[in-house]
Amino acid sequence: MIPQTRAGRRQLILDILGRQSVRSQGELLEILSRDGIEVTQATLSRDLVELGAVKIREGKALVYAVPGLGGDRTVRVALGLDEASSHLRRQCEELLVTARVSANLVIVRTPPGAANYLASAIDHAGEPDILGTIAGDDTVMIITSGARQSRALVSRLLALAGRGRADPIHEPDPAGPSSRHFDDDTNKESP
Amino acid sequence: MIPQTRAGRRQLILDILGRQSVRSQGELLEILSRDGIEVTQATLSRDLVELGAVKIREGKALVYAVPGLGGDRTVRVALGLDEASSHLRRQCEELLVTARVSANLVIVRTPPGAANYLASAIDHAGEPDILGTIAGDDTVMIITSGARQSRALVSRLLALAGRGRADPIHEPDPAGPSSRHFDDDTNKESP
DNA sequence: CAGAGGCATGTATAGTCATACAATGGTGAC
DNA sequence: GTCACCATTGTATGACTATACATGCCTCTG
């Protein structure tokens, strides 16, 4: 069945976005044409506005998603619950939303409900510098042996998640150079 | 202040995205340059990847937002949820027993069993300075970006709870009697 | 010190998207 | 019919974004 109406096309777009990752309108164009629907990129641009589509990160790339959709891809992608398997890397890729440092703490945000799951994986990683973890609903607090270890850990976690490096906290306080309590720009190891 | 470090720049980007609508990297470029930070669009593109920024609808246009941070509120609005602040007020009135500060932590006591519920409300308030919350049974621990932010948050929570400046807390605030302001404008909304 | 290697950034460009304008195809009023 | 009106889409294009490659700055090592 080939819906040639506007509404039909949009419904199909919803289905597609709920089912697979679509990075660009060109890609969507191609998928639709495989289903026998021929439109131009401009039309898709309008459709996506109309559907309220957003672009969310999946790895490094932005992909389309439609909030409030049945199998809400916005949430699902962020949750990544389907594929969560036993490796920390996998967990981080799927579940680590942000990781920030505050002194000897690392705060990891996860999608709702995923914190305990991720915390468990982190625990079992056997990092000596991790004194312990506490997990709420969507937040994992990791207590490390020190600020430097915290930073190292964040870098590591973000790397695992495929997101690059840490962003230390800076107070949005225009007071000057003293906003560096928790930050420090060296990576020297000292005994 | 003009943070010329990479981390500083990214922190500033987070602040900006949490505070105002940014439609394009060019726009962000301009805002940053007003703050004395000169980089190219390419760098911003990379920053936004690292920060996990997404593009959500605001009206018809896609604007940048960073999930899991203060701007999260924007995300929620875009996702069709809302109700943020008044909800928090109600919860605080009812459930907040005491709020105390310890450095970059705020400890909130609630009636037995209510901690998770209140923590969720606090989370959803979208305060940019809240890194995360962890709730037990009758205690919520809020991790903020710094001691100063902790104090501001406590003031705010107590105000919401209708306890004003009454202090179940004694904490050394060198700021004097005017420590009431909460220099955060959480009423940014655009059609 | 020299040289190697890594990282952050700029440059140039290809890829992607939104939109003004025009064309097309209904619909109803007359 | 035919005219006016409105909605939908395509065309063309400028705006926006990502990325391969080059450059310069560190830090480390010898």
Side-chain angles (χ1 to χ4, degrees):
Chain A
M1 133 136 215
I2 301 175
Q4 292 294 8
T5 69
R6 194 186 86 158
R9 183 184 64 240
R10 289 187 179 170
Q11 186 56 51
L12 185 52
I13 290 173
L14 287 181
D15 290 348
I16 290 168
L17 295 186
R19 215 178 317 120
Q20 58 189 282
S21 300
V22 179
R23 293 181 50 149
S24 70
Q25 296 176 5
E27 204 175 313
L28 182 55
L29 201 67
E30 211 172 287
I31 296 169
L32 284 172
S33 83
R34 253 183 260 131
D35 281 354
I37 298 188
E38 302 283 354
V39 287
T40 60
Q41 171 265 322
T43 297
L44 294 186
S45 174
R46 295 176 188 118
D47 285 345
L48 290 167
V49 168
E50 215 51 42
L51 293 171
V54 300
K55 298 191 87 168
I56 63 176
R57 296 275 168 199
E58 196 179 76
K60 285 194 167 188
L62 287 169
V63 303
Y64 283 104
V66 178
L69 196 53
D72 196 347
R73 190 163 178 83
T74 306
V75 175
R76 208 138 289 219
V77 165
L79 278 176
L81 291 179
D82 324 303
E83 305 226 18
S85 63
S86 45
H87 298 315
L88 180 59
R89 160 177 226 104
R90 195 78 193 169
Q91 304 293 352
C92 286
E93 279 177 2
E94 304 289 332
L95 300 178
L96 186 148
V97 175
T98 64
R100 302 173 73 186
V101 174
S102 186
N104 62 329
L105 301 177
V106 174
I107 308 303
V108 176
R109 301 303 300 266
T110 75
N116 271 283
Y117 196 36
L118 182 58
S120 169
I122 292 172
D123 262 340
H124 287 68
E127 279 289 338
D129 288 322
I130 295 180
L131 303 186
T133 64
I134 299 175
D137 180 66
D138 64 352
T139 303
V140 180
M141 176 168 67
I142 306 170
I143 300 93
T144 71
S145 50
R148 194 178 60 246
Q149 286 78 11
S150 289
R151 287 194 304 277
L153 178 61
V154 164
S155 298
R156 171 96 184 290
L157 291 174
L158 290 174
L160 281 177
R163 299 199 181 214
R165 303 239 328 257
D167 295 290
I169 308 303
H170 290 257
E171 304 200 3
D173 185 328
S178 63
S179 56
R180 290 191 151 262
H181 316 311
F182 305 132
D183 188 18
D184 115 1
D185 31 79
T186 75
N187 18 15
K188 288 180 185 153
E189 290 294 321
S190 30
Chain B
M1 60 168 173
I2 309 183
Q4 292 295 8
T5 69
R6 177 175 157 241
R9 182 185 65 241
R10 290 187 178 169
Q11 185 58 47
L12 184 52
I13 290 173
L14 288 180
D15 291 346
I16 290 169
L17 295 187
R19 216 176 317 120
Q20 60 189 277
S21 301
V22 178
R23 291 182 52 151
S24 70
Q25 295 175 7
E27 203 175 314
L28 183 55
L29 200 67
E30 209 172 288
I31 296 169
L32 283 172
S33 84
R34 254 182 260 132
D35 281 353
I37 298 186
E38 302 283 352
V39 286
T40 60
Q41 169 265 324
T43 297
L44 294 186
S45 174
R46 295 174 189 120
D47 285 344
L48 290 168
V49 169
E50 292 306 313
L51 294 172
V54 300
K55 298 192 84 168
I56 61 175
R57 295 276 166 199
E58 199 180 77
K60 286 195 167 188
L62 287 169
V63 303
Y64 284 103
V66 178
L69 293 180
D72 205 3
R73 170 141 180 279
T74 317
V75 175
R76 280 172 212 290
V77 168
L79 293 183
L81 313 168
D82 198 6
E83 103 217 46
S85 209
S86 68
H87 182 244
L88 178 59
R89 155 171 257 116
R90 270 196 307 278
Q91 302 309 329
C92 282
E93 280 171 2
E94 209 164 303
L95 301 177
L96 187 147
V97 176
T98 64
R100 304 175 67 187
V101 173
S102 171
N104 62 327
L105 300 177
V106 173
I107 309 301
V108 176
R109 303 303 300 267
T110 73
N116 270 283
Y117 195 41
L118 181 58
S120 172
I122 292 171
D123 258 342
H124 288 47
E127 278 295 337
D129 290 320
I130 295 180
L131 304 190
T133 65
I134 294 175
D137 181 66
D138 64 353
T139 303
V140 179
M141 173 163 41
I142 306 169
I143 300 94
T144 72
S145 51
R148 171 196 173 87
Q149 284 76 15
S150 289
R151 288 193 299 274
L153 178 61
V154 164
S155 300
R156 175 92 185 289
L157 289 174
L158 290 173
L160 280 178
R163 288 167 182 63
R165 186 89 175 102
D167 63 325
I169 42 170
H170 66 74
E171 56 99 6
D173 190 343
S178 68
S179 57
R180 213 175 201 294
H181 35 38
F182 194 68
D183 43 12
D184 202 39
D185 50 346
T186 15
N187 32 12
K188 181 79 184 125
E189 197 96 81
S190 309

